[in-house]
């Protein structure tokens, strides 16, 4: 018998996901796209050995692979010599406590674990496999992880809920012979421990005298409390609170053996009670847990670490309003003193892996604490300031711990951890040459990691001083790639963009591709009243070159010519074109309209960013067969660019021979070297020389010890356009390099030309550097004008 009762509709997983995506705001959709576009996810496995010949394949796999297998079988320690185990960490989670999202399961935790892998790689050169475990109990999780010991050099536990995380870590540390580290506990503890050391130093309080309150009793709170006591805080002076109030002796509600460790004999029952006369508040709980009134009862010069994420227990502004004498830290990057775990775990594992430590023990954690605290007391170099918009940092109340992009962190923390591993007896491979070890650590850090970000911050710093962002013109208003890149440029506050084209067409294209056009100025070229003015100006300059007034005015209908004239006339600061035009057609209006700087040579410059260096290549686009004089000037112009990025120029004048000076190219390059040494004796330059000699210091040292380079060249000047253009384009397509450019050298104003194969990222990078170039030119012109005025007076 049939029923007329309607069954309730049950949404499918696909429908639920679609509803979720529809509910996202613009940033959240960007985050989803970031993870899905191109190859899904954020990580890949890359070969460290060439495997592109039959012989290489035979060595990498059968039959050659049997040889290291047999070697390892004879001595299992050899696994570190013949495999990646010594630089490989497993980031493992069961997804029970993911960020602030809670128990969302192992599948949903995977983006976080991949992200953790990126941080390991970028900050310490450590390779990672992320492993998400589906387990029903701590015992099952422990059993699964234990089986992985032959594969990995270390285990990073992540996002596992308390109290299970304590049991899991304790068991794995006890039963495994490689480092096991629960970063949610110890990473936060180590970094906040460093901050506490320095905060106490600033307010002149001793750790064994301070009264400290921890709000929160989860994994990170417990670990923080333990490391604070290891640093010198007395057990009886530490009160821990959870959602039920103070953890005291005899309390039964919500207690477990891990909380019992911090129970005190006290009459205090609430967080408000606990904070009275306390010197330090450490929050690892929830937003709004503390009020200004509560802070007013704390002791003089209170130390307030409100580290709940994403929103702290009390905002720095509210804390400062209640206690102007407070030292404040949070877990957020938009406030001073961010307690960021990335200051800890990459460098800690680096030190542990490099000594083949069997564990990360208390001595190693404390060594990391002290290293971070001591580094913060050092003078902060300009390179760090440049990574943070030119902001100056100095040890004090608003600078307790180093910044995450301070590349010195690895150089301080990893050796400190390694030494502690050795001294505490857990290192299986002691380091004996610490100078060589520091060199190894420096080799991990390539300038590419901070190159564009540094340039962005320079743009911001100069813009603040100049009082404006540079106005950059984009003639190709109907290029989707250009429009999408401009959106990112606005979000990063790089420039004031002006797009040339018909507004109706551009807006229609933007709607079609869901591009937000807010803040983007659109300027029509057709029938623009400036065409007559610009045409007359071009005719005045180019009449002797055969251009009549009518032709000059007609040329201004070409957006590339119009954009170039805007710059020439001071109505814009820079331009970027070439995304839809071949190079010659894109560069011609710039040279004809803007022209060259005095005594300069037009040339193309490409910047190659590799894993460990910057290379400046010229001339890659312009001069077919430049003379020695032209090559010398191109090299000097390129050296100036390198210096803007804090690179000491080492110039190699390339040829097919090494120091032969033979007729033809070798002679031309040798003569160029002589000219450079005469014009700029301060520059390091050598040639003629082959490319492999230029970039390989081993070849220089062993075969050509007389070479003046004194190291690997970072500026490569090619003898002709064929060799340079072929070289950089091959490297771009076949090498593991990021190629930025080409950039135009020698032009009076900031104007650069893209390649038609350009990507949105390349456009973004090119515009960042064009904006920076425009700002530098603006400063130089202002200085010339100032000097001229003073000369007249």
């Amino acid at each position: 018998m049939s029923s007329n009762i309607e069954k309730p509709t049950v949404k499918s997983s696909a429908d639920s996901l679609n509803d979720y995506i529809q509910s996202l705001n613009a940033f959240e959709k960007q985050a989803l796209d970031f993870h899905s576009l191109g190859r899904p996810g954020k990580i890949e496995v890359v070969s460290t050995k060439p495997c592109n010949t039959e012989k290489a394949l035979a060595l990498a796999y059968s039959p050659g692979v049997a040889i290291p297998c047999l070697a390892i079988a004879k001595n299992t320690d050899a696994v570190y010599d013949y495999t990646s185990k010594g630089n490989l960490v497993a980031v493992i989670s069961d997804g029970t406590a993911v960020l602030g999202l809670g128990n969302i399961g192992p599948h949903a935790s995977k983006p976080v674990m991949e992200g953790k892998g990126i941080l390991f790689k970028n900050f310490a050169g450590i390779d990672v496999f992320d492993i998400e475990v589906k387990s029903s109990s701590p015992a099952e999780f422990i059993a699964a992880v234990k089986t992985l010991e032959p594969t990995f050099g270390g285990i990073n536990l992540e996002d596992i809920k308390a109290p299970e995380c304590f049991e899991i870590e304790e068991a794995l540390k006890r039963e495994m012979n490689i480092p096991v580290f629960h970063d949610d506990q110890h990473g936060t503890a180590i970094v906040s421990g460093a901050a506490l050391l320095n905060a106490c130093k600033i307010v002149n309080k001793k750790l064994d005298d301070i009264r400290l309150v921890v709000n929160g009793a989860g994994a990170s709170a417990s670990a923080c409390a333990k490391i604070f006591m290891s640093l010198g805080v007395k057990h009886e002076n530490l009160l821990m609170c959870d959602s039920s109030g103070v953890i005291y002796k005899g309390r039964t509600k919500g207690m477990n053996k891990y909380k019992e460790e911090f129970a005190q004999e006290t009459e205090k029952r609430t967080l408000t009670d606990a904070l009275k006369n306390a010197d330090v508040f450490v929050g690892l709980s929830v937003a709004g847990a503390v009020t200004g009134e509560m802070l007013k009862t704390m002791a003089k010069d209170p130390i307030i670490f409100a580290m709940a994420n994403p929103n702290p227990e009390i905002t720095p502004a509210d804390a400062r309003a209640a206690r102007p004498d407070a030292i404040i830290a949070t877990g957020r990057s938009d406030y001073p003193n961010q307690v960021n775990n990335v200051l800890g775990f990459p460098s800690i594992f680096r030190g542990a892996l490099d000594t083949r430590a069997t564990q990360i023990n208390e001595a190693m954690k404390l060594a990391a604490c002290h290293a971070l605290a001591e580094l913060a007391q050092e003078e902060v170099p300009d390179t760090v300031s440049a990574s943070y918009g030119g902001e100056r940092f100095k040890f004090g109340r608003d600078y307790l711990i180093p910044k995450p992009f301070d590349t010195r962190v690895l150089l301080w923390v990893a050796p400190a951890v390694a030494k502690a591993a050795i001294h505490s007896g857990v290192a299986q491979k002691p380091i004996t040459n610490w100078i060589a070890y520091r060199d190894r650590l420096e080799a991990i850090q390539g300038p590419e990691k901070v190159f564009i970000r540094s340039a962005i911050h320079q743009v911001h710093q100069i813009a603040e001083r100049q009082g404006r962002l540079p106005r950059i013109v984009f003639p190709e208003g109907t290029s989707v790639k250009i429009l999408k890149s401009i959106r990112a440029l606005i979000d990063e506050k790089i420039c004031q963009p002006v797009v040339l084209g018909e507004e109706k067409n551009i807006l229609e294209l933007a709607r079609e591709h869901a591009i937000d056009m807010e803040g983007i100025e659109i300027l029509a070229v057709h029938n623009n009243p400036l065409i007559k003015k610009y045409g007359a100006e071009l005719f005045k300059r180019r009449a002797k070159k055969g251009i009549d007034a009518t032709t000059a005015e007609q040329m201004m209908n070409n957006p590339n010519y119009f954009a170039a004239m805007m710059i020439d006339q001071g109505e814009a600061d820079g331009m970027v074109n070439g995304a839809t035009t071949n190079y010659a057609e894109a560069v011609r209006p710039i040279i004809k309209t803007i022209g060259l700087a005095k005594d300069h040579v037009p040339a193309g410059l490409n910047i190659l960013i590799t894993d460990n260096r910057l290379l400046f290549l010229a001339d890659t686009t312009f001069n077919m067969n430049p003379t020695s004089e032209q090559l010398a000037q191109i090299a000097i112009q390129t050296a100036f660019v390198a210096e803007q990025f804090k690179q000491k120029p080492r110039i190699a004048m390339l040829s097919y021979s090494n120091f032969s000076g033979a007729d033809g190219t070798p002679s031309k390059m040798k003569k160029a070297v002589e000219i450079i040494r005469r014009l700029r004796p301060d520059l390091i330059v050598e040639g003629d020389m082959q490319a492999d000699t230029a970039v390989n210091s081993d070849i220089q040292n062993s075969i050509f010890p007389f070479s003046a380079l004194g190291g690997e060249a970072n500026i490569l000047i090619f003898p002709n356009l064929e060799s340079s253009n072929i070289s950089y384009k091959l490297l771009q397509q076949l090498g593991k390099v990021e190629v930025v450019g080409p950039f135009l050298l020698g032009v009076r104003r900031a104007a650069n030309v893209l390649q038609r194969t350009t990507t949105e990222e390349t456009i973004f990078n090119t515009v960042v550097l064009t904006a920076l170039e425009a700002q530098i030119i603006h400063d130089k012109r202002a200085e010339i004008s100032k000097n001229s005025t003073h000369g007249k007076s």
Side-chain angles (χ1 to χ4, degrees):
M1 182 172 148
S2 63
S3 172
N4 293 324
I5 299 174
E6 290 187 11
K7 294 181 179 179
T9 302
V10 178
K11 281 195 173 184
S12 68
S13 297
D15 289 336
S16 296
L17 174 59
N18 186 59
D19 289 347
Y20 168 71
I21 292 173
Q22 293 303 315
S23 71
L24 299 178
N25 62 33
F27 175 79
E28 290 165 342
K29 287 179 180 176
Q30 285 178 4
L32 215 55
D33 289 344
F34 178 85
H35 286 77
S36 65
L37 294 179
R39 179 183 296 182
K42 301 190 288 280
I43 59 175
E44 65 177 345
V45 177
V46 178
S47 174
T48 61
K49 304 292 189 295
C51 195
N52 52 3
T53 66
E54 186 176 355
K55 182 177 180 180
L57 183 60
L59 291 170
Y61 202 58
S62 183
V65 73
I67 308 306
C69 290
L70 292 171
I72 296 167
K74 295 179 184 300
N75 179 0
T76 53
D77 284 348
V79 71
Y80 289 97
D81 300 321
Y82 301 116
T83 77
S84 62
K85 177 180 170 75
N87 195 54
L88 189 60
V89 166
V91 174
I92 307 181
S93 179
D94 63 358
T96 54
V98 180
L99 303 177
L101 306 175
N103 185 355
I104 59 174
H107 288 93
S109 74
K110 189 171 177 64
V112 178
M113 304 312 126
E114 288 187 357
K116 194 83 170 190
I118 290 173
L119 299 182
F120 267 108
K121 187 67 174 180
N122 286 357
F123 286 92
I126 294 171
D127 298 315
V128 163
F129 287 147
D130 64 291
I131 298 175
E132 294 72 36
V133 177
K134 184 178 181 181
S135 63
S136 58
S137 68
E140 189 176 358
F141 186 95
I142 292 164
V145 175
K146 278 172 56 181
T147 65
L148 302 174
E149 184 169 342
T151 302
F152 296 99
I155 303 291
N156 182 96
L157 300 173
E158 194 78 18
D159 290 349
I160 304 167
K161 70 184 178 74
E164 287 83 351
C165 62
F166 303 122
E167 178 186 346
I168 288 169
E169 188 190 36
E170 287 171 3
L172 292 175
K173 287 180 71 172
R174 184 173 60 249
E175 299 178 31
M176 298 182 79
N177 205 40
I178 57 175
V180 177
F181 185 82
H182 185 202
D183 184 53
D184 299 312
Q185 293 185 60
H186 309 298
T188 303
I190 289 164
V191 180
S192 61
L196 181 63
L197 285 170
N198 280 341
C200 287
K201 181 182 179 75
I202 290 167
V203 297
N204 198 27
K205 292 183 179 182
K206 295 180 179 179
L207 268 75
D208 57 2
D209 289 337
I210 62 172
R211 294 163 56 83
L212 188 147
V213 176
V214 177
N215 193 46
S220 55
S222 297
C224 284
K226 288 179 180 178
I227 209 161
F228 295 157
M229 290 189 289
S230 295
L231 289 168
V233 176
K234 291 180 178 177
H235 182 276
E236 59 268 25
N237 288 345
L238 189 150
L239 284 179
M240 181 176 284
C241 302
D242 61 9
S243 58
S244 298
V246 174
I247 295 173
Y248 58 89
K249 290 284 187 183
R251 199 185 99 172
T252 57
K253 183 180 179 182
M255 292 294 287
N256 56 47
K257 67 177 183 178
Y258 302 104
K259 292 182 183 180
E260 197 64 48
E261 185 178 348
F262 302 103
Q264 297 284 4
E265 292 284 359
T266 179
E267 297 299 317
K268 296 184 177 184
R269 293 294 182 266
T270 67
L271 177 59
T272 301
D273 296 337
L275 284 174
K276 290 176 182 175
N277 298 316
D279 297 285
V280 182
F281 167 75
V282 176
L284 292 148
S285 52
V286 295
V290 175
T291 66
E293 291 302 312
M294 294 163 72
L295 298 184
K296 289 178 181 178
T297 67
M298 293 181 71
K300 184 176 181 289
D301 293 318
I303 297 166
I304 301 164
F305 292 174
M307 297 186 288
N309 262 325
N311 298 310
E313 284 80 1
I314 184 169
T315 66
D318 290 342
R320 189 82 66 197
R323 293 302 301 260
D325 58 339
I327 289 180
I328 304 165
T330 71
R332 286 175 49 150
S333 61
D334 53 346
Y335 296 130
N337 297 322
Q338 183 196 16
V339 177
N340 191 326
N341 287 20
V342 80
L343 287 169
F345 68 85
S347 300
I348 292 166
F349 266 98
R350 184 75 274 160
L353 292 175
D354 291 341
T355 54
R356 292 188 196 167
T358 56
Q359 59 178 281
I360 295 173
N361 59 22
E362 199 69 11
M364 296 160 75
K365 297 173 198 172
L366 293 176
C369 264
H370 286 288
L372 286 170
E374 290 162 12
L375 175 57
Q377 297 172 38
E378 296 289 308
E379 184 176 345
V380 183
D382 289 343
T383 51
V384 176
S385 178
S387 294
Y388 291 89
E391 184 180 355
R392 296 289 175 179
F393 302 106
K394 184 177 181 181
F395 179 64
R397 288 173 174 263
D398 288 333
Y399 182 72
L400 299 176
I401 47 179
K403 306 298 287 185
F405 284 101
D406 188 337
T407 55
R408 299 173 302 163
V409 170
L410 179 66
L411 307 181
W412 282 62
V413 176
V417 170
K419 288 175 182 177
I422 295 167
H423 295 153
S424 63
V426 298
Q428 299 180 96
K429 184 187 175 185
I431 295 167
T432 55
N433 186 335
W434 292 100
I435 294 175
Y437 181 57
R438 182 183 174 87
D439 289 344
R440 280 174 52 200
L441 294 176
E442 286 183 331
I444 292 171
Q445 300 175 326
E448 85 288 352
K449 296 180 181 67
V450 293
F451 178 69
I452 292 298
R453 181 55 53 182
S454 249
I456 289 171
H457 288 311
Q458 285 186 67
V459 170
H460 292 167
Q461 181 184 7
I462 297 172
E464 186 174 352
R465 173 167 51 77
Q466 293 180 348
R468 60 188 282 273
L469 287 170
R471 195 168 187 239
I472 305 296
V473 184
F474 300 87
E476 297 158 307
T478 54
S479 165
V480 174
K481 287 189 289 189
I482 289 286
L483 295 179
K484 286 185 175 180
S485 302
I486 291 174
R487 183 73 262 155
L489 291 161
I490 290 177
D491 292 342
E492 286 278 5
K493 297 180 175 61
I494 300 302
C495 64
Q496 302 174 64
V498 181
V499 177
L500 301 187
E502 295 302 317
E503 183 173 6
K504 178 183 176 183
N505 297 338
I506 293 173
L507 291 179
E508 185 177 336
L509 189 68
R511 279 193 297 270
E512 184 181 339
H513 293 274
I515 301 169
D516 179 7
M517 294 296 289
E518 184 180 354
I520 301 176
E521 180 184 350
I522 300 173
L523 185 63
V525 175
H526 185 61
N527 292 330
N528 192 299
L530 288 171
I531 284 180
K532 280 193 175 296
K533 173 189 171 184
Y534 288 172
E537 183 62 34
L538 184 62
F539 170 67
K540 190 194 315 182
R541 294 185 197 177
R542 306 289 297 184
K544 292 182 179 180
K545 300 285 185 180
I547 295 178
D548 58 42
T550 302
T551 301
E553 186 172 318
Q554 288 173 346
M555 290 169 69
M556 286 303 117
N557 284 290
N558 182 322
N560 287 309
Y561 277 95
F562 190 92
M565 192 57 81
M566 284 181 70
I567 298 164
D568 180 80
Q569 295 296 294
E571 286 159 355
D573 301 294
M575 68 177 282
V576 173
N577 68 343
T580 61
T581 312
N582 71 52
Y583 188 85
E585 291 176 0
V587 79
R588 193 176 296 117
I590 295 170
I591 300 300
K592 285 186 175 182
T593 305
I594 301 173
L596 303 176
K598 185 180 179 182
D599 298 327
H600 279 49
V601 175
L605 167 68
N606 281 85
I607 303 173
L608 269 63
I609 308 172
T610 74
D611 284 342
N612 57 12
R613 71 176 80 172
L614 291 179
L615 286 173
F616 299 83
L617 277 60
D619 170 20
T620 55
T621 61
F622 207 90
N623 298 283
M624 287 297 297
N625 190 21
T627 64
S628 297
E629 291 76 14
Q630 288 175 318
L631 288 166
Q633 185 57 45
I634 290 167
I636 291 170
Q637 292 168 196
T638 305
F640 174 79
V641 176
E643 288 169 338
Q644 300 308 305
F645 295 103
K646 298 179 173 56
Q647 303 291 306
K648 183 178 182 179
R650 294 182 186 275
I651 307 168
M653 307 300 288
L654 301 182
S655 173
Y656 62 79
S657 70
N658 283 308
F659 309 105
S660 73
D663 288 345
T665 295
S667 175
K668 179 171 74 169
M669 303 310 278
K670 183 178 179 180
K671 183 180 177 183
V673 170
E674 294 168 355
I675 296 170
I676 294 167
R677 287 173 176 166
R678 186 175 71 248
L679 295 176
R680 285 287 304 273
D682 58 308
L683 290 177
I684 298 172
V685 60
E686 189 58 280
D688 62 291
M689 65 197 312
Q690 294 177 344
D692 57 345
T693 304
V695 298
N696 190 324
S697 56
D698 289 339
I699 296 176
Q700 294 173 34
N701 295 335
S702 60
I703 305 177
F704 308 106
F706 54 82
S707 169
L709 273 186
E712 297 168 347
N714 56 8
I715 295 176
L716 304 179
I717 304 299
F718 291 81
N720 54 47
L721 186 59
E722 287 180 356
S723 58
S724 61
N725 194 272
I726 290 169
S727 295
Y728 98 78
K729 288 192 173 180
L730 271 176
L731 286 169
Q732 186 176 32
Q733 295 300 319
L734 303 179
K736 254 316 190 187
V737 297
E738 176 70 26
V739 178
V740 183
F743 299 99
L744 267 180
L745 296 178
V747 180
R748 290 192 308 116
R749 301 286 187 269
N752 285 302
V753 179
L754 302 161
Q755 300 175 78
R756 278 188 288 186
T757 56
T758 192
T759 64
E760 291 169 30
E761 182 180 7
T762 304
I763 295 169
F764 178 88
N765 293 344
T766 300
V767 178
V768 168
L769 298 180
T770 303
L772 181 58
E773 181 185 1
Q775 292 174 319
I776 292 169
I777 290 172
H778 180 277
D779 278 347
K780 287 174 68 176
R781 287 169 60 81
E783 184 180 351
I784 291 169
S785 176
K786 180 181 177 182
N787 292 339
S788 175
T789 302
H790 288 330
K792 290 177 182 177
S793 61

